[in-house]
């Protein structure tokens, strides 16, 4: 049976709680919206495969995460993708520069799967907002300064009834960088 999976970075519980408070406050102002009930996360990718294949990809995720080293992520401003109605918290540039290789290497590890990828790390507050609701969100939330230690990624499975992802596995960063293979010459 095919299932939908998501690979993501979860922030610390403090950040998850703070984002939930923001989502609930926005919901009190504009009513229900897409992702109002989802747990705070930074999406790496999503894919659909047969349940029987997932263990093979769990092994790949374990191996790549063993090479990553934990680092602080600083979330310092809000942003929006006007074309998709997304309102989000964005990491500062230094954090983005550290997150992008994690996203890219994780996505490369999951080849040959067909991935719905994210290449701009961000933590969504809301998705598919109308232009009016996007304006309300940007007026409600103007400053932010929170951070968390990025030290693992999670594999989530979609609950088709609740239409929410739930964590099925966690892969800790092992701080064991693999040596880069360098093409040498014999002479």
């Amino acid at each position: 049976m095919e299932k939908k999976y998501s690979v993501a970075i979860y922030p610390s519980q403090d950040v998850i709680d703070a984002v939930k408070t923001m989502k609930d406050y926005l919901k009190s102002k504009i009513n229900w919206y897409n992702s109002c009930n989802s747990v705070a996360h930074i999406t790496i990718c999503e894919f659909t495969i047969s349940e029987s294949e997932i263990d093979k990809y769990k092994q790949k995720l374990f191996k790549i995460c063993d090479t990553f080293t934990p680092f602080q992520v600083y979330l310092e401003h809000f942003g929006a993708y006007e074309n998709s109605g997304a309102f989000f918290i964005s990491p500062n540039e230094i954090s983005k520069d550290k997150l992008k290789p994690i996203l890219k290497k994780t996505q490369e590890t999951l080849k040959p799967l067909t991935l719905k990828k994210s290449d701009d790390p961000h933590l969504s507050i809301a998705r598919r907002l109308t232009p009016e609701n996007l304006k309300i969100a940007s007026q409600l939330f103007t400053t932010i300064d929170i951070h968390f230690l990025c030290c693992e990624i999670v594999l989530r499975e979609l609950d088709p009834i609740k239409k929410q992802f739930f964590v099925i596995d966690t892969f800790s960063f092992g701080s064991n960088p693999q040596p880069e293979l360098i093409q040498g010459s014999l002479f």
Side-chain angles (χ1 to χ4, degrees), residues 113-164:
L113 296 176
T114 302
L115 303 177
K116 180 182 169 190
K117 300 189 266 191
S118 172
D119 57 2
D120 184 28
H122 64 279
L123 203 151
S124 292
I125 300 286
R127 293 180 301 117
R128 296 190 204 130
L129 293 179
T130 63
E132 300 79 32
N133 286 344
L134 199 53
K135 185 176 180 187
I136 290 169
S138 61
Q139 290 170 341
L140 289 176
F141 306 109
T142 55
T143 60
I144 188 152
D145 184 12
I146 54 179
H147 61 90
F148 68 93
L149 181 67
C150 179
C151 59
E152 63 189 19
I153 64 172
V154 296
L155 176 64
R156 307 178 311 159
E157 182 182 309
L158 183 67
D159 179 327
I161 295 155
K162 291 183 178 176
K163 303 221 182 303
Q164 290 291 323

Side-chain angles (χ1 to χ4, degrees), residues 19-38 85 87 124-130 133 137 141 164:
V19 171
K20 178 161 180 21
T21 300
M22 286 183 243
K23 287 179 175 225
D24 289 347
Y25 185 58
L26 181 59
K27 189 175 172 186
S28 76
K29 299 295 181 188
I30 66 171
N31 296 319
W32 184 92
Y33 59 87
N34 279 282
S35 76
C36 66
N37 296 319
S38 70
F87 184 73
S124 292
I125 300 286
R127 293 180 301 117
R128 296 190 204 130
L129 293 179
T130 63
N133 286 344
F141 306 109
Q164 290 291 323

Side-chain angles (χ1 to χ4, degrees), residues 54-62 155 168-169 171:
I54 196 64
D55 284 342
K56 173 172 68 173
Y57 292 100
K58 283 183 180 183
Q59 286 303 315
K60 290 181 174 207
L61 289 170
F62 173 79
L155 176 64
I168 60 169
D169 217 333
F171 305 92

Side-chain angles (χ1 to χ4, degrees), residues 79-128:
Y81 298 129
E82 311 253 336
N83 59 340
S84 65
F87 184 73
F88 57 85
I89 307 170
S90 187
N92 67 12
E93 286 307 311
I94 294 168
S95 297
K96 264 191 187 187
D97 288 346
K98 291 180 177 179
L99 285 163
K100 284 182 177 180
I102 302 287
L103 272 60
K104 189 172 194 253
K105 288 177 182 173
T106 302
Q107 293 162 356
E108 286 171 1
T109 295
L110 295 173
K111 285 180 178 171
L113 296 176
T114 302
L115 303 177
K116 180 182 169 190
K117 300 189 266 191
S118 172
D119 57 2
D120 184 28
H122 64 279
L123 203 151
S124 292
I125 300 286
R127 293 180 301 117
R128 296 190 204 130

